[in-house]
Amino acid sequence: MSGPCAYDRPRRIRRGAALTLFLAGVLATGAVTGTWSDAAAGAEGCSAPRRAAKAHAPASAFADREAVERAAAEAAEDGKSGAEAAADVVSRSGDRWSTIYTPGQFEDFQEQLGGAYVGVGLWVWQTGGGRIEVSRVQPGSPAARAGIAPGDRLRAVDGRGTEHTPVTEVVSRLRGVAPDGSRASAAAAGTPVALALQRGARHWTATVHRTRLRCRNVVVDHPDGARGPTRVKVAAFAKGTGAAVRRAVRRASPDRGLLLDLRGNTGGLVTEATATASAFLDGGLVATYDVRGSQRALYAERGGDTRVPLVVLVDGGTMSAAELLAGALQDRGRAVVIGSPTFGKGSVQMPSTLPDGSVAELTVGHYRTPAGRSVDGAGITPDLVVGRGAEKRARTVLSGLGGGA
């Protein structure tokens, strides 16, 4: 996928060091040239990819960690790819959200969480039939200039078919990462990549050139002018997202209110979603989750703004960590949630390093909202279900809460 900036990244990650909720597409859904990781989608960079509308996803299975590690170790001893062996175990387990990265892919993934990457500006996801489709195109990117649009089918990258290919591999091809995942051999800005595409009955090939891209995961504006509410659009929860939202809240007028737009947000780092919740709460529970049967909890920091009127916008593309945030603000009575039911990806993945240095992001449990609601397979039902015109309705509700012009 196409992704955000980079942050200091360790050469190896400790087991369980970073808690991440992977949406049905962050990694798996749209990882083409910069995205999170999810077993079903991926993106080149910037934010997690947006998955096709599907309000409710089935609960995920669990890949057996010991079996994954054993397969990787045995493959490494035989001189084979530990990552491929581990990925085969995950595939057979039926766990939709677990993902295996080569060392280079994972390092690249971490960099994408920061916001800068070399790519073409695409997010992709894998359909149930194994096809790879474009879920989002970064404005102004090489892909956008080539006329590629969401919904287009990506049939091949540099002549290699993509059907039934893991999204992480498709993303690596888009970014020019070597088959072995070696980041050192990743393609540089300016290198070409040929994409075979399909839109309906039309088939065509577009050659685009990779470039250095940067995404903003938090965009703040005032669509109605200075006298109107502040709108904060959060595309994904990458490093620094929570701090950016907190700054926006501090600058927002308590008399005008705030629209927190989580539509199309496929998730990301749970720590950043919790930090975002802290911008609106004065401490207290954000979510509970289990890790292999052990119950844990996430809490907001004290000192958040509890006065500014708040409306949260969601849709079928709101996933994982974004659902965690929306559910927390809804259950705590802090916001009115408006839009359509969210995706329903409530599983938790944690990373561990395999014997050959590759990284396994495996499902370890599920999270619940402060009121004890399970999100996995159910999603978040808005307080006010609205399809078209959701933002207009949100402004009306916000005005009634004491915000807006």
Side-chain angles (χ1 to χ4, degrees):
M1 57 183 212
S2 351
C5 32
Y7 60 97
D8 293 336
R9 53 193 185 283
R11 297 299 301 176
R12 294 173 68 86
I13 186 165
R14 294 181 180 178
R15 185 184 305 277
L19 171 62
T20 307
L21 290 188
F22 289 121
L23 313 191
V26 174
L27 234 214
T29 300
V32 178
T33 44
T35 186
W36 301 175
S37 91
D38 203 321
E44 288 188 310
C46 273
S47 62
R50 179 169 186 160
R51 182 161 179 133
K54 179 179 179 183
H56 304 295
S60 57
F62 286 69
D64 184 270
R65 185 184 67 183
E66 293 184 358
V68 169
E69 293 177 343
R70 183 169 58 253
E74 292 175 352
E77 290 177 0
D78 293 338
K80 300 178 181 178
S81 169
E84 289 184 4
D88 183 59
V89 173
V90 169
S91 177
R92 286 187 280 105
S93 74
D95 187 335
R96 298 179 59 197
W97 310 127
S98 289
T99 304
I100 306 298
Y101 300 88
T102 64
Q105 287 174 336
F106 191 73
E107 186 175 0
D108 194 55
F109 165 58
Q110 289 180 297
E111 184 177 80
Q112 294 160 15
L113 286 175
Y117 66 101
V118 173
V120 300
L122 283 181
W123 283 258
V124 298
W125 74 289
Q126 190 171 65
T127 69
R131 301 191 310 177
I132 297 294
E133 292 184 357
V134 175
S135 58
R136 183 177 169 189
V137 180
Q138 182 173 341
S141 67
R145 292 194 295 272
I148 300 172
D152 289 345
R153 181 179 176 184
L154 180 61
R155 300 182 63 90
V157 177
D158 282 335
R160 299 174 62 191
T162 61
E163 190 167 352
H164 298 297
T165 300
V167 173
T168 49
E169 183 177 335
V170 175
V171 172
S172 293
R173 293 182 196 173
L174 287 167
R175 301 200 62 197
V177 177
D180 64 355
S182 171
R183 193 169 182 278
S185 59
T191 55
V193 56
L195 309 178
L197 300 140
Q198 179 181 348
R199 182 183 302 164
R202 179 193 173 198
H203 293 249
W204 80 102
T205 299
T207 297
V208 295
H209 290 77
R210 301 178 180 95
T211 189
R212 186 91 179 155
L213 296 170
R214 178 169 293 277
C215 268
R216 295 169 60 197
N217 286 314
V218 179
V219 176
V220 182
D221 63 5
H222 298 82
D224 297 327
R227 297 181 62 84
T230 297
R231 180 173 61 187
V232 180
K233 170 67 176 178
V234 181
F237 293 101
K239 188 175 175 66
T241 298
V245 172
R246 185 180 287 272
R247 287 194 296 272
V249 174
R250 287 173 177 168
R251 295 169 184 166
S253 168
D255 299 326
R256 303 300 177 191
L258 189 144
L259 291 173
L260 179 62
D261 191 349
L262 300 180
R263 291 174 296 182
N265 183 318
T266 48
L269 298 171
V270 170
T271 50
E272 292 297 335
T274 302
T276 300
S278 299
F280 303 102
L281 300 170
D282 186 21
L285 185 65
V286 173
T288 59
Y289 65 99
D290 59 281
V291 176
R292 302 184 184 94
S294 175
Q295 298 300 311
R296 306 183 187 184
L298 298 168
Y299 294 94
E301 295 181 4
R302 299 296 299 271
D305 189 327
T306 60
R307 299 174 303 159
V308 62
L310 177 64
V311 168
V312 176
L313 284 164
V314 299
D315 65 6
T318 303
M319 303 165 64
S320 197
E323 294 177 284
L324 178 152
L325 174 60
L329 296 176
Q330 185 181 54
D331 280 3
R332 295 285 300 277
R334 179 62 186 88
V336 176
V337 179
I338 295 177
S340 51
T342 63
F343 184 83
K345 195 278 183 182
S347 59
V348 178
Q349 283 71 41
M350 282 187 176
S352 62
T353 303
L354 299 176
D356 67 342
S358 55
V359 176
E361 289 280 2
L362 303 180
T363 301
V364 296
H366 298 85
Y367 71 87
R368 294 177 178 272
T369 68
R373 292 182 293 162
S374 175
V375 175
D376 206 56
I380 298 295
T381 300
D383 298 302
L384 184 59
V385 178
V386 181
R388 292 184 178 182
E391 187 163 340
K392 181 178 180 180
R393 182 69 65 87
R395 295 170 192 271
T396 300
V397 171
L398 191 58
S399 178
L401 294 174

